[in-house]
């Protein structure tokens, strides 16, 4: 590479290669794009028009919201009308890689006299009262405070930033760093989404190649269940920055070549060396910039992917030891598949095979959040989900537990119950066949009947193998992590013991409910041996602080207390919360645990990444520190 290459191409290091793609790579790209079309990654013209209508509606609602608050603050009507308010899109929609049914990340910018409290009080109520707007859920205490909703069926994630301006003009641009003056960190984080997206597009050598490659990586990550920032994996902006970095390494490559290099480079990346699209910039503002030398919390980031807009932030602070191991294993699997695609021994469709999360582990944790109200359930379930990462981190410290693997979404159910006993059972995760078949009309007019809204999240548990020569029973005690987790979610300021339930319990894979599988996906359940002594006391499914006697009749919203005291034993002893015998065995090799099934790195081969490129990469990546 010539000495002027760094000036010619974007990135913190010169490109690895600037040669044009080969005919074979162009052929692979054409077949990849055909496969993406077959996979339904391109939305219809009608949906595209609906998105435009939705954004116009949000823009009008934001102006109405700002005007309403302005008048309430005592501003004259003329000043209230001129106060403005504007929306910006970011994320996959702004990048041009959104697919059918995907959400639109949207930023609402308001003047200085409109507060965040107004956003979650006034604006959230306005949304609830607007025709065509459903599933409105505000999460004000999130890392980036957000209101989630659907408008005309299109999911919207709306964040807010209050600028130190009296009015927000329609031609406002967010490129000026001085707009960040006098803002709190939450507003800076909210603005960062839009600023980062625009900067990513500016820093890629070829927009079209970047978009095609990112569509592929995004679909792959979704199918492999590793596309979720809240659960400790990577979110959309992080995946976009990774793809952008590979595009910088190979500025003249086509999308198929970018994808073929993506997996091998990411598998071999020397974490925690950060991924940077440009040098980190200091600025005159009193805002925090990512700096592991200065901040211990930044130094703790396991897979730092740093946003290119000032102030630089880590987009992957949620990654845990377990989720990093899982993603590394997926990079390896994908590298093997693409290697076979390149030599004609596999098709691109194999890259997008569905995950095997519910076949992979022998033991799982169920986290069940429940209420008696659909509106309350959206908020409660969102609050619980936002804290599951903390449970994963605590589980990682448990002796004999190799991995705690969170699934990326919860499963929602509505159960129609005839009495308190059924309500209690449903909230504990025990849904009888009768309740499962019951419909809303079956309980209408019935005294004591009510609906229970529940969302169930799952964490797969990988247990270490029993060491050779060890004798006696082993015990996996996860009572502390689960108890601390339930305490954490109950610290939510809007938590109401009488209206919200939170239950944590373990189950074996054979006991997973049918709803986690697609039709025909579930394997036949194994015949379970009966233990010599089997507890019949169903109250053992409760933690010590739960009442053993039947509770008094409660309101329909009432759900049971927490259950979190969990122990695994082996040698046939009955588990306290599962009335079946079990032993703590290592899952079979076909379970695909990343700690045992990843082959030696020397076995990875990629015809599209030559030895010379590997040497260049080895020199380039550390330079990004």
């Amino acid at each position: 590479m010539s000495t002027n290459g760094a000036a010619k191409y974007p990135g913190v290091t010169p490109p690895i290669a600037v040669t044009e793609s080969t005919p074979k790579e162009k052929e692979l790209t054409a077949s990849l794009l055909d496969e993406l079309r077959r996979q339904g990654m391109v939305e219809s013209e009608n949906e595209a028009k609906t998105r435009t209508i939705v954004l116009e509606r949000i823009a009008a609602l934001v102006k109405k919201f700002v005007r309403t608050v302005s008048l309430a603050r005592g501003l004259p009507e003329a000043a209230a009308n001129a106060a403005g308010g504007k929306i910006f899109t970011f994320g996959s929609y702004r990048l041009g890689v959104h697919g059918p049914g995907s959400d639109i990340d949207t930023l609402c910018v308001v003047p200085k006299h409109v507060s965040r409290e107004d956003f979650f009080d006034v604006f959230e109520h306005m949304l609830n009262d607007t025709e065509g707007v459903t599933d409105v859920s505000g999460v004000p205490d999130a890392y980036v405070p957000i209101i989630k909703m659907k408008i005309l069926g299109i999911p919207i994630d709306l964040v807010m930033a209050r600028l130190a301006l009296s009015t927000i003009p329609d031609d406002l641009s967010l490129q000026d760093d001085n707009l960040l003056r006098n803002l709190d960190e939450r507003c800076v984080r909210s603005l960062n989404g839009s600023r980062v997206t625009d900067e990513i597009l500016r820093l890629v050598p070829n927009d079209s190649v970047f978009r095609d490659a990112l569509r592929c990586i995004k679909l792959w990550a979704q199918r492999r269940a590793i596309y979720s920032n809240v659960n400790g994996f990577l979110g959309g902006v992080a995946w976009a920055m990774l793809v952008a970095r590979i595009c910088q390494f190979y500025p003249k490559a086509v999308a198929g070549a970018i994808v073929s290099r993506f997996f091998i480079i990411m598998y071999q990346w020397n974490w925690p060396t950060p991924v940077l699209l440009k040098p980190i910039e200091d600025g005159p503002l009193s805002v925090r910039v990512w700096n592991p030398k200065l901040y211990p919390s930044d130094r703790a980031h396991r897979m730092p992917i740093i946003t290119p807009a000032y102030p630089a932030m880590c987009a992957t602070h949620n990654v845990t030891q377990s989720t990093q191991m899982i993603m590394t294993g997926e990079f390896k699997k994908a590298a093997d598949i693409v290697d076979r695609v390149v030599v004609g021994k596999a098709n691109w469709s194999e890259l997008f095979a569905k995950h095997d999360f519910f076949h992979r582990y022998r033991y799982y944790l169920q986290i069940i959040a429940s209420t008696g109200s659909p509106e309350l359930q959206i908020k409660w379930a969102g609050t619980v989900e936002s804290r599951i990462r903390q449970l994963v981190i605590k589980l990682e410290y448990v002796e004999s537990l190799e991995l705690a693997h969170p699934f990326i979404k919860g499963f929602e159910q509505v159960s129609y119950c005839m009495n308190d006993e059924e309500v209690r059972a449903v909230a504990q995760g025990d849904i009888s066949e009768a309740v499962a078949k019951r419909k809303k009309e079956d309980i209408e007019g019935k005294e004591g009947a009510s609906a229970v809204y529940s969302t169930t999240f799952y964490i797969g548990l990988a247990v270490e193998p029993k060491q050779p020569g060890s004798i006696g029973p082993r015990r996996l005690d996860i009572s502390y992590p689960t108890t601390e987790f339930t305490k954490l979610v109950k610290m939510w300021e809007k938590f109401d013991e009488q209206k919200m339930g939170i239950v944590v319990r373990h189950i074996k894979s054979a006991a997973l409910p049918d709803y986690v599988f697609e039709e025909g996906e579930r394997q036949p359940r194994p015949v379970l041996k009966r233990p010599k002594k089997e507890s019949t006391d169903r109250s053992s499914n409760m933690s010590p602080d739960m009442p053993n006697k039947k509770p008094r009749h409660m309101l329909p919203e009432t759900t049971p207390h927490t259950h979190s005291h969990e122990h695994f034993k082996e040698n046939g002893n009955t588990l306290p919360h599962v009335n079946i015998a079990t032993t703590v065995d290592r899952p079979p090799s076909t379970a695909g645990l990343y700690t045992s099934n990843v082959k030696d790195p020397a076995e990875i081969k990629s015809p599209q990444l030559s030895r010379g490129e590997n040497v260049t990469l080895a020199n380039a990546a550390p330079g990004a520190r």
Side-chain angles (χ1 to χ4, degrees), residues 213-468:
L214 181 54
R215 281 185 187 277
C216 171
I217 300 304
K218 180 180 177 181
L219 177 60
W220 164 79
Q222 290 171 335
R223 292 286 172 82
R224 301 306 299 169
I226 54 174
Y227 190 96
S228 173
N229 178 62
V230 69
N231 286 299
F233 297 103
L234 306 191
V237 68
W239 288 117
M241 287 189 288
L242 288 186
V243 174
R245 187 68 182 115
I246 306 304
C247 289
Q248 290 180 342
F249 281 142
Y250 303 94
K252 293 187 177 181
V254 292
I258 295 296
V259 170
S260 69
R261 289 162 169 85
F262 176 89
F263 295 113
I264 184 66
I265 290 176
M266 286 301 104
Y267 177 73
Q268 295 177 341
W269 192 267
N270 184 29
W271 303 110
T273 299
V275 172
L276 297 166
L277 298 183
K278 72 175 189 180
I280 295 176
E281 300 173 347
D282 289 323
L285 308 181
S286 58
V287 294
R288 177 170 168 168
V289 175
W290 188 80
N291 187 339
K293 295 180 180 179
L294 186 60
Y295 302 111
S297 59
D298 291 349
R299 199 154 51 243
H301 294 154
R302 305 187 66 90
M303 294 177 65
I305 302 172
I306 310 305
T307 57
Y310 174 79
M313 301 179 186
C314 179
T316 49
H317 61 276
N318 279 351
V319 173
T320 71
Q321 177 181 329
S322 291
T323 54
Q324 181 181 4
M325 290 168 62
I326 292 159
M327 287 186 283
T328 300
E330 290 295 346
F331 288 142
K332 167 62 175 67
K333 290 180 182 179
D336 289 342
I337 292 172
V338 175
D339 184 34
R340 290 188 286 112
V341 171
V342 169
V343 297
K345 294 183 178 180
N347 297 317
W348 284 112
S349 59
E350 294 181 37
L351 184 65
F352 307 121
K354 184 185 174 183
H355 64 85
D356 59 350
F357 176 83
F358 292 106
H359 300 283
R360 183 177 297 161
Y361 304 105
R362 182 165 184 175
Y363 302 106
Y364 293 84
L365 282 187
Q366 276 186 325
I367 300 98
I368 306 167
S370 57
T371 66
S373 158
E375 295 80 17
L376 186 59
Q377 179 63 18
I378 294 173
K379 293 179 179 292
W380 177 228
T383 300
V384 171
E385 182 180 26
S386 69
R387 288 156 173 77
I388 286 178
R389 184 179 69 93
Q390 298 299 326
L391 173 57
V392 170
I393 291 173
K394 289 178 172 62
L395 288 169
E396 289 173 348
Y397 286 98
V398 173
E399 188 178 356
S400 299
L401 193 62
E402 284 186 338
L403 193 75
H405 183 169
F407 191 57
I408 61 172
K409 70 171 187 175
F411 293 85
E412 299 176 352
Q413 287 182 292
V414 183
S415 302
Y416 299 102
C417 304
M418 289 296 190
N419 50 52
D420 274 355
E421 187 176 352
E422 289 186 347
V423 168
R424 186 176 181 83
V426 166
Q428 291 284 339
D430 297 324
I431 302 177
S432 67
E433 186 176 351
V435 172
K437 292 181 177 179
R438 198 173 292 146
K439 298 179 180 179
K440 184 178 181 180
E441 52 267 27
D442 296 333
I443 68 168
E444 290 178 348
K446 302 290 180 66
E447 184 178 354
S450 62
V452 176
Y453 298 83
S454 62
T455 306
T456 305
F457 304 96
Y458 289 87
I459 298 176
L461 302 177
V463 183
E464 288 181 354
K466 190 173 181 179
Q467 296 301 316

Side-chain angles (χ1 to χ4, degrees), residues 35-51 92-93 96-104 150 152-155 215 218-219 222-223 227:
E35 183 60 35
L36 290 176
R37 281 188 284 270
R38 281 193 292 271
Q39 295 283 347
M41 283 296 288
V42 181
E43 70 177 352
S44 67
E45 186 176 341
N46 285 339
E47 185 172 349
K49 290 179 179 178
T50 301
R51 289 180 184 273
S92 61
Y93 183 81
V97 296
H98 62 286
S102 62
D103 58 16
I104 304 178
K150 289 183 179 179
L152 302 181
I154 302 294
R215 281 185 187 277
K218 180 180 177 181
L219 177 60
Q222 290 171 335
R223 292 286 172 82
Y227 190 96

Side-chain angles (χ1 to χ4, degrees), residues 415-521:
S415 302
Y416 299 102
C417 304
M418 289 296 190
N419 50 52
D420 274 355
E421 187 176 352
E422 289 186 347
V423 168
R424 186 176 181 83
V426 166
Q428 291 284 339
D430 297 324
I431 302 177
S432 67
E433 186 176 351
V435 172
K437 292 181 177 179
R438 198 173 292 146
K439 298 179 180 179
K440 184 178 181 180
E441 52 267 27
D442 296 333
I443 68 168
E444 290 178 348
K446 302 290 180 66
E447 184 178 354
S450 62
V452 176
Y453 298 83
S454 62
T455 306
T456 305
F457 304 96
Y458 289 87
I459 298 176
L461 302 177
V463 183
E464 288 181 354
K466 190 173 181 179
Q467 296 301 316
S470 60
I471 59 174
R474 279 187 309 147
R475 188 178 182 185
L476 184 63
D477 187 348
I478 57 174
S479 58
Y480 175 76
T482 54
T483 300
E484 289 299 301
F485 170 73
T486 53
K487 287 179 182 177
L488 179 65
V489 295
K490 287 184 176 184
M491 288 173 63
W492 184 40
E493 60 181 13
K494 295 183 180 179
F495 176 72
D496 185 338
E497 190 95 31
Q498 295 302 310
K499 294 182 178 181
M500 305 172 194
I502 177 69
V503 171
V504 181
R505 70 175 192 172
H506 68 67
I507 60 172
K508 292 186 69 175
S509 58
L512 285 169
D514 289 335
Y515 63 71
V516 304
F517 301 100
E518 294 181 357
E519 186 176 354
E521 180 188 0

Side-chain angles (χ1 to χ4, degrees), residues 111-122:
K112 61 183 179 181
H113 58 273
V114 180
S115 69
R116 185 172 287 104
E117 289 72 22
D118 295 326
F119 182 63
F120 287 102
D121 292 337
V122 179

